[in-house]
Amino acid sequence: MYEMYQNVDFTLADLDLLWRGLQWTLLVWSASMVLGIGLGFVLGLVAHARVPVLSQLVTVFVETFRNSPLLVQLFLVFYGLPLVTPFSPGPAEAAIFTVAINTAAFTVVNLVAALDALPRGQWQAAGAFGLSYGQTMRYIVLPQAIRTALPPTMNLAVSQLQTTSLVSIIGVADLTRVGTMLYTRTLKPFLIWPAIGLIYFILAKILSVLAARVERRLQTKNSWFQAAA
């Protein structure tokens, strides 16, 4: 086995391929997170406002995409949508769309939980001062809810980064796909896959450290506000 890995014929082309795979991974992840969090934020407000019919539809959406495998969702979007709609996405578009929808479902849960965690007395006090629902939400409730929802959203971002490795199955040339290509050429699984795993680990670790810092800062601010109160 030592002789098998003694002559590692990595070339500049292989490193360039890894770099391109990393770019695709970051593109799919960042685009899907931005779209998913934005959509989840809007749907979370609808769900919390208990809008008739719409809130029930949001609940169905959340339960469907939270409790079904992402791989099945990818297959349905990439292979199924062209059969029933004029929308025929390429691998990258299907990947971003699916991961964004999946992210939105979890974002709804995080936001609604953060909104429900706020004391009901704040709504009553805002009403006593003559603030409308929109004003109360904008100036009092949302700033606090966003601080509460931010840590679990950061953890979701770390989880979704690792989940993007599934998009290689529908043809996206991400890190996992590049790893498969390099393994096929070199037949060195104990060289290629630890390297791919290390890249994912470093990316996830960076995000985890950032999430921990954000959470500590928010806890410090919340402690200060509680002491001031």
Side-chain angles (χ1 to χ4, degrees):
M1 180 174 289
Y2 173 76
E3 294 178 354
M4 177 180 177
Y5 293 96
Q6 199 170 17
N7 298 320
V8 179
D9 51 347
F10 259 91
T11 64
L12 289 177
D14 295 332
L15 294 178
D16 180 65
L17 196 60
L18 278 172
W19 171 243
R20 291 176 182 274
L22 174 60
Q23 288 178 313
W24 273 110
T25 293
L26 292 176
L27 173 63
V28 171
W29 172 77
S30 58
S32 60
M33 287 302 299
V34 170
L35 295 173
I37 291 174
L39 176 61
F41 184 83
V42 174
L43 295 180
L45 294 180
V46 172
H48 183 263
R50 309 296 195 271
V51 180
V53 181
L54 289 181
S55 60
Q56 284 79 11
L57 291 176
V58 171
T59 299
V60 172
F61 166 83
V62 169
E63 293 301 317
T64 299
F65 286 95
R66 279 184 67 221
N67 299 309
S68 60
L70 180 63
L71 186 58
V72 173
Q73 297 170 21
L74 283 168
F75 286 156
L76 285 174
V77 170
F78 186 62
Y79 297 112
L81 278 186
L83 299 178
V84 296
T85 70
F87 182 45
S88 182
E93 291 84 358
I96 292 173
F97 178 80
T98 306
V99 179
I101 293 296
N102 186 266
T103 300
F106 286 95
T107 301
V108 170
V109 175
N110 291 339
L111 182 60
V112 171
L115 290 169
D116 289 340
L118 295 177
R120 192 65 188 172
Q122 296 194 16
W123 288 93
Q124 296 170 350
F129 280 100
L131 296 180
S132 66
Y133 175 86
Q135 290 173 325
T136 304
M137 183 67 74
R138 179 179 178 182
Y139 296 112
I140 298 176
V141 174
L142 274 181
Q144 298 179 75
I146 289 174
R147 285 199 299 268
T148 303
L150 194 53
T153 301
M154 294 289 288
N155 292 331
L156 174 63
V158 175
S159 175
Q160 294 297 70
L161 173 65
Q162 298 166 344
T163 301
T164 57
S165 60
L166 292 174
V167 304
S168 63
I169 296 177
I170 61 172
V172 180
D174 69 329
L175 277 172
T176 304
R177 183 78 171 185
V178 168
T180 303
M181 295 165 63
L182 293 178
Y183 164 70
T184 302
R185 188 180 69 78
T186 63
L187 297 179
K188 294 180 172 65
F190 291 103
L191 173 67
I192 300 301
W193 293 118
I196 297 297
L198 180 61
I199 296 174
Y200 276 110
F201 173 80
I202 292 173
L203 293 175
K205 191 64 177 178
I206 291 173
L207 286 174
S208 297
V209 170
L210 291 175
R213 288 185 177 180
V214 169
E215 188 168 0
R216 282 196 299 269
R217 288 188 178 183
L218 291 176
Q219 287 176 350
T220 302
K221 288 184 178 181
N222 289 337
S223 299
W224 186 89
F225 282 125
Q226 290 174 0

